[in-house]
Amino acid sequence: MYGRIISGILVGFKMDNNQLMNKYGIIGYPLKHSISPQIHNSAFNALKINALYQKIEINPTEFEETIKQLKHEDWRGFNITIPFKETIIKYLDDIDPMSANIGAINTIKISNGKWRGYNTDYLGFVKPIEKYLDSINSVLVLGAGGAARAVIYGILEKLKIEKIYLANRTKSRAELLVQSVKYSGRTKIEIIDFSTINHLNDPINLIVNTTSLGMGNEIDKTPLEISEKYSNCIVYDLIYNPKKSKLLTRAEEQACQIINGLPMLIYQADESFKIWTGINFPDKVIEKFLLSS
Ligand code: NAP
């Protein structure tokens, strides 16, 4: 028996019975509500791949020592989630060039002991709005963490628009994001004060919440008041638990088109799975989880 307790969660495998089982995991903190293991294990089962995907919850104070320990173990790949998408970069041996432009990593593939980082969040983010791309011409992004980097990059890559408004509680983090996301197009990113977002009068037709306001301990909060002026907007919240955040509830009351974070979660997972195994999720796995959104 081999096992380890990381931040109170037992991560263990009966290696005697499962010698050939490939191990994958999601690294983050907290992970209590993550459904990534259900999604990936459903796909492994459906495809009869002998692999197991587990939660690896790491307290941020123990991050470095735990990552060093994981490097000595037999893992095939990881997803990286809040709050480690930027911190993980210095522990990688190599990084996919496109993902390096984003400055945040959510997927690691391990082969011959080498850790190579990728970002699949930006592809997952774009997928649910693909059909609206031609009608979007101005965007407000709330938040400037790891997820916001992928969102901004996805918008820059897929939407040929003039301006993105970006607001984050910590303004310096938004400034750092703008300086470090590498993009050669003409779209401008204008940073606005988080405290003034409710007074923005410029026309917006896509609002994206990438902050964690609206989930966990802050479930009753919304980063933005959705008033009548946004009634023609698409409001996209990366949060998927709850399915309808306070922001989305308010947006629905104003007859906005609303999208929660579940489709993005499923499509980014599908792209990670393809990086690890060379194949996409079976359609029935995607449909099963999409139907629960
Ligand atoms: P992160 O790097 O830790 O960033 C968190 C963001 O939330 C920062 O912009 C932070 O602002 C902001 N924030 C936190 N508490 C706040 C508060 N009380 N008031 C205002 N802003 C606050 O996390 P992340 O990886 O970007 O993830 C952010 C969210 O996106 C999480 O809810 C995560 O679950 C979700 N997400 C969903 C998917 C999906 O597939 N659906 C994928 C990735 C992420 P400061 O910079 O000021 O701290």
Side-chain angles (χ1 to χ4, degrees):
M1 174 70 180
Y2 161 96
R4 172 163 18 98
I5 294 173
I6 301 172
S7 299
I9 288 183
L10 175 67
V11 178
F13 302 91
K14 284 192 172 169
M15 295 301 279
D16 309 347
N17 302 335
N18 296 312
Q19 283 295 346
L20 299 174
M21 183 171 274
N22 289 331
K23 297 192 299 175
Y24 297 87
I26 178 162
I27 294 174
Y29 185 87
L31 285 179
K32 201 167 149 207
H33 299 292
S34 172
I35 61 164
S36 293
Q38 280 121 286
I39 298 174
H40 285 283
N41 287 328
S42 283
F44 285 135
N45 285 340
L47 292 163
K48 302 199 179 347
I49 295 174
N50 190 20
L52 185 67
Y53 184 108
Q54 299 244 322
K55 290 182 187 177
I56 307 169
E57 187 171 79
I58 307 178
N59 190 306
T61 57
E62 294 161 11
F63 186 68
E64 175 152 318
E65 62 178 278
T66 311
I67 293 296
K68 284 182 176 163
Q69 197 181 328
L70 292 171
K71 288 224 170 194
H72 293 294
E73 300 173 7
D74 187 23
W75 295 86
R76 293 300 177 100
F78 298 111
N79 281 131
I80 308 294
T81 189
I82 189 168
F84 302 127
K85 287 182 182 181
E86 294 155 89
T87 332
I88 191 69
I89 291 177
K90 67 176 179 199
Y91 301 95
L92 301 173
D93 298 295
D94 187 17
I95 184 162
D96 160 63
M98 183 86 109
S99 308
N101 290 338
I102 300 172
I105 290 301
N106 75 320
T107 303
I108 297 174
K109 180 177 181 171
I110 303 166
S111 56
N112 300 322
K114 299 279 182 225
W115 288 29
R116 181 174 168 86
Y118 299 83
N119 190 305
T120 67
D121 276 337
Y122 86 98
L123 296 168
F125 163 70
V126 171
K127 195 90 178 170
I129 52 169
E130 261 172 358
K131 56 178 179 263
Y132 307 111
L133 291 186
D134 291 342
S135 57
I136 297 169
N137 42 45
S138 55
V139 183
L140 169 62
V141 176
L142 306 170
R149 285 175 172 270
V151 164
I152 297 265
Y153 192 76
I155 295 168
L156 291 170
E157 275 292 307
K158 303 284 181 183
L159 292 171
K160 303 299 167 211
I161 57 174
E162 278 184 24
K163 204 192 267 182
I164 299 171
Y165 295 93
L166 172 64
N168 192 48
R169 178 180 61 178
T170 311
K171 201 172 181 180
S172 57
R173 200 172 178 193
E175 287 162 351
L176 191 64
L177 184 157
V178 174
Q179 285 158 21
S180 57
V181 170
K182 296 187 183 63
Y183 174 69
S184 57
R186 289 191 184 163
T187 308
K188 293 210 167 28
I189 305 174
E190 182 176 325
I191 296 172
I192 54 173
D193 248 34
F194 197 74
S195 58
T196 65
I197 50 176
N198 287 323
H199 307 296
L200 184 68
N201 281 322
D202 298 37
I204 300 288
N205 52 12
L206 172 65
I207 296 168
V208 187
N209 177 37
T210 78
T211 77
S212 43
L213 268 187
M215 62 181 276
N217 294 336
E218 311 202 270
I219 197 163
D220 293 331
K221 295 189 180 151
T222 174
L224 178 74
E225 289 306 327
I226 300 289
S227 58
E228 249 173 49
K229 69 182 172 191
Y230 292 126
S231 58
N232 292 320
C233 261
I234 300 168
V235 180
Y236 189 162
D237 197 333
L238 267 50
I239 291 172
Y240 57 89
N241 187 0
K243 285 180 184 169
K244 214 180 279 177
S245 62
K246 188 169 178 184
L247 175 76
L248 293 190
T249 304
R250 294 278 188 270
E252 200 171 46
E253 285 163 8
Q254 294 297 340
C256 301
Q257 170 81 32
I258 62 167
I259 304 171
N260 74 9
L262 194 58
M264 172 175 171
L265 182 79
I266 296 162
Y267 290 118
Q268 64 76 29
D270 183 34
E271 296 292 337
S272 299
F273 193 83
K274 193 172 177 194
I275 287 168
W276 296 327
T277 65
I279 44 179
N280 284 105
F281 285 162
D283 288 347
K284 63 179 180 188
V285 170
I286 294 191
E287 280 156 21
K288 175 178 142 190
F289 286 97
L290 273 184
L291 280 179
S292 63
S293 72

